[in-house]
Amino acid sequence: MTAALRLPVEWPPRPPPPPAPLPRLPPATCRSCGAELTHTVVDLGMSPLGASCRCADQLDQTELFSPLRLCVCERCLLVQLPQRISDERIVSAYAHFSSSSASRLEHARRFTDRAIEELRLTPATVVVEVGSNDGYLLQYFSDRGIAVLGIEPWDEAARAAIARGIPTRIEFFSSDTARALRAEGIHADLLIGNDVLAQVRDVNDFAAGMKLLLAPRGVITLEFPHLMRLVAENQFDAIDHAHCSYFSLLAVAHILTANGLTIYDVDELDTRRGSLRVFACHSEDPLRPITPRVDSLLARERDAGVHLPAYYAEFAERVREGKRRLLDFLIAARRDGKRVVAYGATETSSTLLHYCGIDTDFLEYVVDRRTDTHGKYLPGTHIAIRPPAWIRQTRPDYVLILPWKLQHEIAAELAYIAGWGGRCVVPIPEVDMVT
């Protein structure tokens, strides 16, 4: 005899309760003024560290991905990545020796000559550089008999500087560093920070430290990529994890002013795709009047609209359209049976390729002059990196020049591909053939 089916006391059963809401993450706040960040400039999605090329035996290992989402603070106009990978991981991934670049050495030498002449530096003055790398810049001041001190967190570069005779502290610069140096009687007559402010997590502590370390009549010089050039030239590939802030003159002036420093002069440079070099002093220093160049550039930034949401919305749409056009070109080329390779395995290359979803379906390989990259693979996309000689051997139809600012130099180097009908192409500011 079969037992009767026992039904629940309540039939039909009640639906399960709704899941508990996920805990809400705290809102991201501006690293300059602390305001809540509510305006996204452009979202490039999750991206690997652009400088972390992979060896063959690492391709199946987990890679670190982090958001590349730019926000703008509507209060102080600082454009920034709200999320930030640890400083130690950034240093280890993006470390390089500055003295390996001939153009950077020449830039440093010319700056040294100008600074000594205009600031009247003598052996009685002290020059301190934050982010001094391997002493590539301070060596020129030292050669002129001027006392120097470097502050550099990357151990290997700092030790290379020390071996070169450049006194160097191996640490990240902060207000605590400045206090310790002041306790030793060190004040900087010239305090330099080249391409370092954009990498700093706590910009106010950094600026406060510079003010503490600066001599009463001292001068600070800072170099950083200019936001207005990045936007005007659609340089979305320049966005990476190493740079957590992207500065207009308006934004950097706000940070320095809030920490008792005043920008009194500015240079517009062609280095690093368009940079600014600002000169700052103590706000209470009465002997350094603000030059017309500062007021002129501030006015041009306002005229361009860096304080308006439409400025960033238009940039975001040009970024998306740039992605669509590059993919249109590559899809059409592959469907026509064309062979496409790329030139330049750089951090900017990684940002561009990963955001656009370009991998080995579109590019057979990428070539690079640096021999230490040969046999490795780009992060995320895992495109193989080969020597430039592979282009002559494989005879591709198109070479996509990823360091597009060097397009004419690279196209001249690759002029021989015209022998089999090959063409050079750039992806930015717009997809175009190099003539």
Side-chain angles (χ1 to χ4, degrees):
M1 184 174 175
T2 305
L5 181 64
R6 300 180 70 119
L7 296 176
V9 174
E10 184 177 355
W11 189 263
R14 294 178 180 178
L22 294 174
R24 185 180 178 186
L25 295 176
T29 55
C30 175
R31 60 173 44 90
S32 171
C33 70
E36 185 174 343
L37 295 175
T38 60
H39 190 100
T40 296
V41 175
V42 64
D43 191 345
L44 302 184
M46 300 292 289
S47 184
L49 295 183
S52 54
C53 292
R54 315 286 284 179
C55 297
D57 59 358
Q58 297 176 312
L59 294 181
D60 292 332
Q61 297 177 10
T62 301
E63 290 184 70
L64 173 65
F65 281 65
S66 186
L68 277 181
R69 180 173 68 92
L70 274 189
C71 295
V72 60
C73 176
E74 297 181 64
R75 180 191 294 173
C76 72
L77 302 180
L78 178 61
V79 175
Q80 56 200 283
L81 295 175
Q83 297 80 11
R84 182 73 165 112
I85 298 172
S86 72
D87 293 328
E88 291 75 13
R89 190 182 287 271
I90 290 293
V91 168
S92 63
Y94 288 85
H96 65 280
F97 289 99
S98 295
S99 60
S100 64
S101 168
S103 61
R104 183 164 293 192
L105 288 173
E106 176 60 19
H107 179 71
R109 186 193 62 75
R110 285 188 278 107
F111 170 76
T112 301
D113 291 343
R114 176 184 170 185
I116 291 174
E117 179 181 355
E118 293 187 4
L119 302 179
R120 300 178 182 178
L121 302 177
T122 70
T125 53
V126 177
V127 175
V128 179
E129 183 182 13
V130 177
S132 52
N133 201 263
D134 58 0
Y136 78 104
L137 169 59
L138 291 180
Q139 64 179 336
Y140 295 110
F141 288 100
S142 182
D143 290 346
R144 302 279 288 272
I146 297 170
V148 299
L149 174 65
I151 303 170
E152 170 58 47
W154 182 31
D155 181 271
E156 194 173 343
R159 296 195 183 282
I162 293 169
R164 183 177 279 150
I166 305 301
T168 305
R169 306 289 179 97
I170 306 175
E171 60 183 296
F172 288 97
F173 180 76
S174 66
S175 59
D176 288 340
T177 306
R179 290 188 190 93
L181 292 173
R182 280 192 58 171
E184 298 175 29
I186 298 174
H187 289 81
D189 298 287
L190 172 59
L191 184 51
I192 305 167
N194 289 348
D195 197 32
V196 64
L197 183 62
Q199 302 180 30
V200 172
R201 186 194 304 267
D202 190 339
V203 292
N204 286 304
D205 181 74
F206 184 89
M210 297 196 94
K211 181 171 178 63
L212 281 170
L213 190 56
L214 189 65
R217 293 296 327 284
V219 169
I220 294 170
T221 65
L222 299 169
E223 292 184 22
F224 47 85
H226 190 194
L227 173 72
M228 200 161 71
R229 285 285 295 273
L230 183 147
V231 171
E233 298 178 7
N234 205 27
Q235 298 180 20
F236 66 87
D237 59 331
I239 301 168
D240 61 28
H241 296 106
H243 297 85
C244 52
S245 299
Y246 298 79
F247 293 104
S248 60
L249 184 60
L250 283 163
V252 78
H254 180 276
I255 293 168
L256 296 184
T257 299
N259 289 280
L261 299 166
T262 297
I263 295 174
Y264 70 87
D265 202 359
V266 61
D267 290 335
E268 296 182 69
L269 310 172
D270 286 330
T271 55
R272 301 191 68 83
R273 301 181 171 200
S275 298
L276 296 182
R277 177 194 289 142
V278 299
F279 297 78
C281 61
H282 290 290
S283 296
E284 58 271 22
D285 186 342
L287 300 179
R288 298 195 188 277
I290 297 174
T291 69
R293 284 188 291 271
V294 174
D295 293 331
S296 174
L297 183 52
L298 288 173
R300 281 164 45 208
E301 287 187 344
R302 291 190 182 94
D303 289 343
V306 298
H307 59 300
L308 300 174
Y311 180 75
Y312 302 100
E314 192 271 339
F315 171 58
E317 179 52 33
R318 282 192 288 117
V319 171
R320 291 188 288 267
E321 181 61 17
K323 173 180 180 176
R324 291 189 285 260
R325 291 192 177 189
L326 179 56
L327 286 173
D328 286 345
F329 165 76
L330 291 172
I331 290 170
R334 297 299 282 166
R335 281 181 173 160
D336 288 344
K338 304 297 185 183
R339 303 186 67 183
V340 187
V341 303
Y343 191 112
T346 65
E347 294 90 340
T348 57
S349 304
S350 182
T351 294
L352 185 146
L353 296 177
H354 203 271
Y355 168 64
C356 294
I358 298 169
D359 55 19
T360 52
D361 290 342
F362 297 104
L363 298 178
E364 295 185 18
Y365 58 83
V366 57
V367 301
D368 199 273
R369 295 175 186 172
R370 296 170 298 163
T371 57
D372 62 307
T373 65
H374 299 164
K376 295 183 179 179
Y377 298 80
L378 289 178
T381 59
H382 294 176
I383 298 172
I385 306 171
R386 305 301 186 196
W390 272 55
I391 292 178
R392 194 181 296 273
Q393 296 169 12
T394 59
R395 299 164 68 94
D397 298 287
Y398 296 108
V399 179
L400 183 65
I401 299 177
L402 299 176
W404 52 274
K405 273 287 188 179
L406 303 176
Q407 58 182 281
H408 298 298
E409 172 189 332
I410 295 171
E413 176 188 338
L414 300 178
Y416 62 85
I417 71 174
W420 61 77
R423 302 288 301 275
C424 288
V425 185
V426 290
I428 293 177
E430 296 182 356
V431 180
D432 199 7
M433 298 291 172
V434 182
T435 57

